[in-house]
Amino acid sequence: MEDVTWGGERRLLEYDFSDRKLGVLLAIAVTESVVSFLGGLFIVTSFLKFDSLRSKFAFEQVANMALADMGSCVTYFFGSPRDRSVLCNVQAVLQQAFELTSVLWATAIASTLSLAIRRRESLDPRKLRTRIYVYAWGAPFVVSLLPLSTSSYGSAGAWCWIRNKPRASSHAWRFTIFYAPIWLAIIYNGVVYAQSAALLRRLSTIAGDDAAAKLKVAIARLVKYPLILVVCWFFPTVNRIQQIVQPRRPIFSLYVLTVLSRSALGALNALAFGNTEVVKNEWLRALERAGIVDTLEDDALVWSFPDDGKHDIADRNPVVELGKDACSIELSARPQQQPASVPRHLETEDERRMTAGSIDEDDDGLDQVEL
């Protein structure tokens, strides 16, 4: 144990880290938090700006997850408050609440995508909006108040969270209200996405070439979503377990990996959920309307709005062509297609439900995967 000077005061830490090392950890956290905050801001701005995104309940949930990520980033901007001060407790409570909220919204998104793909109308997540908000926002903030009952919030090293001592209660709180829920969420998301990907994979074998290609893209997206939580929370979990096994031998490099991974959650969520064709093309349309994007046919974007004589220009299906490679992507709702026939060899109810409608990424099921 070492008595160090940090922020103009003496603080008793169980970690054998110098002021410089603690400063490095905090600098990494703040720097990555800035990037993650900007990523979350991009998602929230996209959601508020474009009607097509606001109409998707799945993206509404993504925007809420981004807000939670942004809130978590703000807590790192507090720096290293005085141990057990009011600011220290505020930082600890908010960090606990926002980070858990982000994870719970990830499970809500997984459930929504699964129900949309399986076409479970009786379990439409939009009808459960209030319950989902209470689950994802309310529960984490209530749980975050529990450690106050045992005065367990305080200095946890470079910032405030659940204090390092007494060890028994600190470890109990950390795993009961934080790491256990996170890994249960990771397992749940993994199972849900694996089942959804398996269904889409089976459907791709009987779909047409274009639909099969879209299904494969959707499957690739489903694989990366649960991996984000694993990447961001693997090293923090390993670090906490190492503290239990060898409390007097902290590993600085493991702390660096912990800060690097957990602070990147917002940025990775922004890349995964914001870097989709729907979002990119909405921004391209906005830039084109503002005159920022040139429309030179050979080396830039060519925008055409098919005139069906029935809709205003805002309602038509924009087609994006990239130079000489005629790559068209329809963004808005297309005319209703005739239901596909149900192959007899498909036996599960989910497969019958999916093939009874059009297998199309812009349809009610797969456009939720596209978000």
Side-chain angles (χ1 to χ4, degrees):
M1 202 167 345
E2 182 181 359
D3 190 16
V4 300
T5 302
W6 183 252
E9 62 171 299
R10 307 294 289 179
R11 302 176 71 175
L12 194 61
L13 304 175
E14 69 172 306
Y15 309 131
D16 189 19
F17 295 154
S18 64
D19 287 11
R20 183 180 62 83
K21 288 184 176 180
L22 288 173
V24 168
L25 294 176
L26 186 59
I28 293 173
V30 171
T31 301
E32 278 202 326
S33 293
V34 170
V35 177
S36 290
F37 184 90
L38 294 176
L41 184 62
F42 171 76
I43 289 182
V44 173
T45 302
S46 300
F47 174 73
L48 296 176
K49 182 176 178 63
F50 303 117
D51 292 337
S52 63
L53 298 182
R54 290 199 302 275
S55 66
K56 298 177 185 290
F57 184 52
F59 204 90
E60 178 183 331
Q61 294 173 86
V62 171
N64 275 277
M65 182 174 65
L67 280 174
D69 290 333
M70 292 168 66
S72 175
C73 293
V74 169
T75 65
Y76 289 102
F77 300 158
F78 289 6
S80 183
R82 181 171 55 85
D83 187 25
R84 296 198 176 187
S85 65
V86 173
L87 185 59
C88 181
N89 283 331
V90 170
Q91 181 186 48
V93 170
L94 293 181
Q95 188 175 115
Q96 165 67 32
F98 280 124
E99 290 187 340
L100 187 57
T101 295
S102 175
V103 173
L104 294 190
W105 273 114
T107 63
I109 293 167
S111 299
T112 297
L113 297 185
S114 176
L115 292 175
I117 291 171
R118 295 170 184 274
R119 296 176 182 272
R120 297 290 179 86
E121 289 85 356
S122 60
L123 295 175
D124 186 351
R126 287 168 290 192
K127 299 177 181 178
L128 304 174
R129 178 182 270 106
T130 300
R131 296 182 183 180
I132 293 175
Y133 271 80
V134 171
Y135 158 76
W137 279 113
F141 275 84
V142 171
V143 169
S144 68
L145 299 177
L146 297 180
L148 292 173
S149 64
T150 57
S151 301
S152 294
Y153 284 132
S155 173
W159 53 81
C160 294
W161 187 46
I162 297 174
R163 300 176 67 245
N164 305 313
K165 288 198 172 189
R167 288 195 179 93
S169 62
S170 68
H171 294 324
W173 279 123
R174 286 173 176 176
F175 281 91
T176 300
I177 69 173
F178 194 72
Y179 287 105
I182 282 177
W183 283 100
L184 287 175
I186 290 173
I187 294 172
Y188 173 79
N189 282 11
V191 171
V192 169
Y193 284 130
Q195 291 175 343
S196 299
L199 174 59
L200 296 182
R201 194 172 291 110
R202 290 196 297 271
L203 291 172
S204 67
T205 62
I206 53 93
D209 291 341
D210 292 340
K214 291 180 179 180
L215 286 167
K216 290 179 181 179
V217 172
I219 292 169
R221 289 196 195 97
L222 291 178
V223 172
K224 68 184 179 183
Y225 293 156
L227 289 179
I228 293 175
L229 292 179
V230 174
V231 168
C232 290
W233 295 111
F234 175 76
F235 287 112
T237 305
V238 171
N239 188 34
R240 295 306 179 189
I241 294 175
Q242 192 273 337
Q243 288 180 27
I244 295 175
V245 177
Q246 295 180 313
R248 298 291 181 177
R249 298 182 62 185
I251 302 174
F252 181 71
S253 59
L254 189 55
Y255 273 87
V256 172
L257 292 174
T258 294
V259 176
L260 283 171
S261 57
R262 72 184 293 171
S263 300
L265 180 61
L268 293 178
N269 281 336
L271 287 174
F273 292 95
N275 187 33
T276 60
E277 293 300 325
V278 170
V279 177
K280 289 188 292 186
N281 283 295
E282 285 289 1
W283 277 107
L284 286 174
R285 291 176 64 190
L287 293 174
E288 190 272 342
R289 288 194 296 267
I292 298 175
V293 174
D294 294 329
T295 55
L296 300 177
E297 185 167 355
D298 289 337
D299 57 1
L301 296 174
V302 176
W303 294 86
S304 62
F305 294 86
D307 188 358
D308 55 12
K310 300 179 180 179
H311 303 289
D312 294 331
I313 190 169
D315 297 325
R316 300 172 192 164
N317 293 332
V319 177
V320 182
E321 295 180 354
L322 296 175
K324 298 180 180 179
D325 298 329
C327 177
S328 298
I329 303 171
E330 293 187 358
L331 298 177
S332 60
R334 60 185 65 178
Q336 183 67 33
Q337 298 179 358
Q338 294 296 322
S341 61
V342 181
R344 293 182 178 179
H345 70 279
L346 294 180
E347 299 179 353
T348 69
E349 184 65 22
D350 287 331
E351 289 168 332
R352 292 192 185 97
R353 189 178 290 107
M354 279 293 291
T355 53
S358 59
I359 301 175
D360 193 316
E361 191 173 351
D362 285 337
D363 205 0
D364 186 45
L366 290 184
D367 83 337
Q368 299 298 322
V369 180
E370 174 63 37
L371 292 173

